[in-house]
Amino acid sequence: MKITFDFEKPLADLQQQIDKIEQVEEKTKVDMSATLNELQEKFDAVKKQVYTNLSGWQKVQISRHPDRPYTLQYIELMCDDFIELHGDRTFGDDKAIIGGWGSIGGQTAMFIGHQKGRNTKDRQYRNFGMANPEGYRKALRLMKMAEKFGKPVITLIDTPGAFPGLEAEERGQGEAIARNIMEMSVLNVPVICVIIGEGASGGAIGIGIGDKVYMLEHTWYSVISPESCSSILWRTWDYKERAAEVLKLTSTEMFKNKLIDGIIKEPIGGAHQDPVAMAVILKKQLLKDLKGLKDRNVEELVNERIEKFCAMGVVIEDEPVVVAPAPNNEGV
């Protein structure tokens, strides 16, 4: 396995021991299988312990791993075929959001998702997964096309946020996201949304309104990133770990607060350790939900979708709030 993060150091140390013993065994031709088996068992135990006790910030780190599968890789692994569609028919084609028809388990669905890049050139081409207004308008155009032909919509979310540049605001970034939220709420076909990496702010919710909303195990979903939250509250990024805990942005916390419908387990160590296995797990869940949603009454589906999202954020005070008296401003 690839060791990347600080919290993986115990695994790196064990892996180094295993590698050294394998080299000695190869060089001396002495059977070291007993020692290797013992170390491998210890490695597996430590690996399980490390990844079942991750903090919020550590999960944020895993969600950003450069080898983590992105939308196009999942589509390639899950679909028998895929035809990408381009453009919003208004301004241009946003490379940060991709979409098109895909065949999964013999069923046709409209796949839409954020796409990041693997290297510097590709990241710039994809704008680091940060969509412009035309990206959200392209997504809406494809959703409406799916609705026209009675096909389900599957969205894969992985973005550090919508692009915050001046040109995006000039072209109506807020309006584009708001319109998507409104239109997805009443879309007359099943909609399944999965956070596969980062789920930040309006950039995520712009394609995140669905009948089923899932998070992969080591992902995050929040109104703001830990770094941005830290910079606002403490004027520095130094408290990003604390912000990640306070924001309760992990899949466990989100499910506990009834903001998502479920958590999809990842291979131990994260989806980047075994993208093929992760795609198999995700495909199984998608096919299960497509089967369950296919024959649902459209009106009931839309009403339940609206009620689910309207119920989020409702707070009921058990006791009256005591408001402190205003300070005496005499003489000001």
Side-chain angles (χ1 to χ4, degrees), residues 60-281:
V60 171
Q61 288 179 286
I62 291 179
S63 75
R64 295 171 175 169
H65 195 286
D67 292 332
R68 195 171 176 87
Y70 298 144
T71 296
L72 282 174
Q73 188 173 2
Y74 279 118
I75 289 173
E76 180 183 347
L77 292 170
M78 293 190 301
C79 295
D80 301 320
D81 53 61
F82 176 68
I83 302 173
E84 186 174 355
L85 303 173
H86 300 272
D88 68 339
R89 300 298 186 267
T90 302
F91 180 82
D93 182 41
D94 189 350
K95 307 301 182 182
I97 286 187
I98 63 98
W101 294 113
S103 176
I104 179 170
Q107 302 179 62
T108 301
M110 181 64 76
F111 284 85
I112 299 167
H114 298 97
Q115 180 66 21
K116 295 178 178 177
R118 293 291 178 198
N119 53 49
T120 302
K121 185 177 180 181
D122 199 22
R123 290 187 188 112
Q124 290 176 333
Y125 179 71
R126 298 290 181 181
N127 202 30
F128 299 88
M130 297 186 293
N132 279 281
E134 53 269 23
Y136 292 103
R137 291 180 178 127
K138 173 171 71 173
L140 180 58
R141 181 177 76 83
L142 300 186
M143 291 177 202
K144 285 294 186 180
M145 184 185 294
E147 183 181 51
K148 177 180 178 180
F149 293 106
K151 300 299 181 183
V153 173
I154 297 171
T155 69
L156 303 177
I157 298 163
D158 185 11
T159 178
F163 184 60
L166 177 63
E167 58 272 32
E169 298 298 339
E170 288 174 341
R171 294 197 298 273
Q173 184 75 285
E175 186 276 338
I177 292 172
R179 181 169 294 278
N180 276 24
I181 294 172
M182 179 185 73
E183 295 286 359
M184 289 187 79
S185 299
V186 294
L187 211 61
N188 288 325
V189 289
V191 184
I192 303 171
C193 307
V194 185
I195 293 90
I196 59 172
E198 300 184 86
S201 193
I205 201 71
I207 57 170
I209 306 295
D211 304 297
K212 296 289 183 180
V213 180
Y214 295 105
M215 291 176 68
L216 300 193
E217 184 181 6
H218 301 312
T219 61
W220 65 276
Y221 196 21
S222 175
V223 69
I224 194 170
S225 71
E227 294 93 334
S228 297
C229 177
S230 176
S231 66
I232 290 171
L233 295 181
W234 294 287
R235 299 292 187 272
T236 174
W237 279 18
D238 294 343
Y239 297 93
K240 56 185 179 294
E241 293 92 343
R242 182 177 173 188
E245 297 303 321
V246 173
L247 285 169
K248 299 188 181 299
L249 43 65
T250 65
S251 57
T252 306
E253 293 289 351
M254 292 293 290
F255 183 65
K256 186 168 71 174
N257 289 323
K258 300 180 180 178
L259 298 172
I260 60 171
D261 297 295
I263 301 169
I264 301 175
K265 296 286 287 184
E266 296 185 25
I268 294 178
H272 60 280
Q273 299 290 353
D274 195 343
V276 175
M278 186 68 252
V280 170
I281 296 169

Side-chain angles (χ1 to χ4, degrees), residues 2-60:
K2 295 179 181 178
I3 307 298
T4 307
F5 306 114
D6 291 341
F7 59 86
E8 293 177 317
K9 191 177 183 305
L11 293 171
D13 294 339
L14 285 169
Q15 187 64 57
Q16 192 174 21
Q17 292 179 46
I18 291 172
D19 293 342
K20 283 183 179 179
I21 291 174
E22 286 178 342
Q23 290 172 10
V24 170
E25 183 181 45
E26 185 178 353
K27 187 176 181 179
T28 63
K29 306 301 180 183
V30 176
D31 184 10
M32 307 284 285
S33 57
T35 305
L36 283 171
N37 289 338
E38 184 180 342
L39 280 173
Q40 189 60 53
E41 287 177 8
K42 187 176 181 181
F43 181 90
D44 293 339
V46 172
K47 184 178 178 181
K48 186 175 181 181
Q49 183 182 10
V50 166
Y51 292 112
T52 52
N53 295 283
L54 293 172
S55 67
W57 175 245
Q58 288 167 346
K59 289 199 173 189
V60 171

